[in-house]
Amino acid sequence: DKEITMEKVANPVQAYAKALVEVGGQDERIFCLTADLMHPFMIEEFSLKYPDRFFNVGVAEQNLMGIAAGLATCGKIPFVHTYTPFMTMRSCEQMRTDVCYPFLNVKRAGMCSGINMGVGGATHHSVEDIAILRSIPNMTPLSPADAVEMGKAVYAATKHVGPTFIRFGRYPAPLVYEEGGGHPFQIGKAITLKEGNDISLLATGLMVSRALAAAELLAKDGIAVRVINIHTIKPIDREAIVKAAKETGAIVTAEEHNIMAGFGAAVAEVVVEE
């Protein structure tokens, strides 16, 4: 609990770009590809430091995925960048067939997930991506809670072998963790941020900070809320979900996504199956 702070904000995009340059300097297999979104993703530094490993394919998301798949078959680790709705819908077939079915080591960075890109209108909202991503075989979707966890997610994705997706927004968001904090990040392992036995709040991505705020409000009414950050949509931490259901008797989920087939549905599936 001591690492939790709601007083500061930071941009997860900046944290992502910084971590990408760091891992790119540590591993020459890492390539950076984008569909004409260098500036929004803040990946100019990568392009300048490692120009031979940077490619802008233009506004051609399906081609972007195919090129990434080709690089992966040659032993490279491509990180591909475009807005989440274009990644998960426009190039869904290429993502499924070219990358995930053959279990290629391609990393996808999806910006403007949920309704974070409000000014972009409905075309730039992404309220179906979790449903799509978790239904595709071999896909590992990550949804870090803040800028601090974003850096850890990039390192985890780099080490993880197989198709990976990092889901995030575009704008500064509340920090859940202290910068420089030593909290762990293990793919598939949820993090309990606040203990409580009256009810459990399970959240992912930007909604983790909202869950903590809700827990503070409920505490004033004497309700002890357990807050769990589930940063990995799949494989989901079944043990943490079952433990919460048994010990608190009630679960509320929070996500920036359509209620149909999303994170809440994934949690409900675990509870029903168990």
Side-chain angles (χ1 to χ4, degrees), residues 20-21 24-25 27-28 30-34 38 43-57 71:
L20 184 64
V21 169
D27 193 334
E28 293 185 352
I30 292 176
F31 279 60
C32 180
L33 291 76
T34 180
M38 183 195 304
I43 49 180
E44 295 94 338
E45 186 177 354
F46 191 102
S47 71
L48 294 172
K49 282 194 172 184
Y50 317 112
D52 293 339
R53 292 188 273 141
F54 177 84
F55 298 97
N56 182 357
V57 307
L71 285 168

Side-chain angles (χ1 to χ4, degrees), residues 26-246:
Q26 296 168 8
D27 193 334
E28 293 185 352
R29 296 175 300 165
I30 292 176
F31 279 60
C32 180
L33 291 76
T34 180
D36 208 24
L37 289 172
M38 183 195 304
H39 299 302
F41 275 95
M42 302 183 182
I43 49 180
E44 295 94 338
E45 186 177 354
F46 191 102
S47 71
L48 294 172
K49 282 194 172 184
Y50 317 112
D52 293 339
R53 292 188 273 141
F54 177 84
F55 298 97
N56 182 357
V57 307
V59 185
E61 290 81 6
Q62 293 156 319
N63 197 32
L64 173 72
M65 206 62 63
I67 293 170
L71 285 168
T73 63
C74 298
K76 311 303 182 184
I77 305 176
F79 276 74
V80 298
H81 305 81
T82 188
Y83 292 146
T84 297
F86 308 153
M87 184 97 70
T88 58
M89 302 185 77
R90 186 174 297 163
S91 62
C92 182
E93 181 183 1
Q94 287 73 22
M95 179 171 61
R96 182 199 67 168
T97 308
D98 296 351
V99 174
C100 291
Y101 278 5
F103 195 71
L104 296 181
N105 199 22
V106 176
K107 316 302 175 184
R108 280 159 293 267
M111 186 196 292
C112 303
S113 301
I115 56 173
N116 186 259
M117 184 61 170
V119 296
T123 58
H124 286 59
H125 294 175
S126 184
V127 294
E128 310 89 358
D129 60 298
I130 291 178
I132 293 168
L133 292 167
R134 74 186 192 91
S135 69
I136 297 177
N138 298 323
M139 172 64 76
T140 299
L142 306 179
S143 182
D146 66 359
V148 174
E149 193 163 67
M150 170 62 77
K152 295 178 182 292
V154 172
Y155 275 87
T158 302
K159 294 179 181 178
H160 178 73
V161 178
T164 313
F165 190 100
I166 304 176
R167 184 181 197 263
F168 53 101
R170 182 170 183 174
Y171 304 112
L175 283 178
V176 172
Y177 298 98
E178 290 282 1
E179 294 182 87
H183 75 283
F185 186 99
Q186 181 181 345
I187 289 178
K189 189 68 175 177
I191 300 173
T192 300
L193 298 175
K194 187 176 179 60
E195 294 289 353
N197 291 317
D198 291 332
I199 190 171
S200 293
L201 266 174
L202 276 56
T204 189
L206 291 174
M207 296 305 291
V208 174
S209 62
R210 299 296 183 92
L212 287 168
E216 290 181 5
L217 290 174
L218 290 167
K220 296 177 182 178
D221 294 329
I223 301 172
V225 180
R226 180 178 304 182
V227 179
I228 302 176
N229 168 22
I230 299 189
H231 52 63
T232 305
I233 306 296
K234 191 182 77 172
I236 202 162
D237 191 338
R238 301 178 69 90
E239 183 180 348
I241 294 170
V242 171
K243 188 171 184 288
K246 286 181 176 180

Side-chain angles (χ1 to χ4, degrees), residues 245-262:
K246 286 181 176 180
E247 294 180 357
T248 70
I251 289 175
V252 174
T253 61
E255 64 189 302
E256 195 182 7
H257 186 274
N258 187 334
I259 196 170
M260 305 292 287

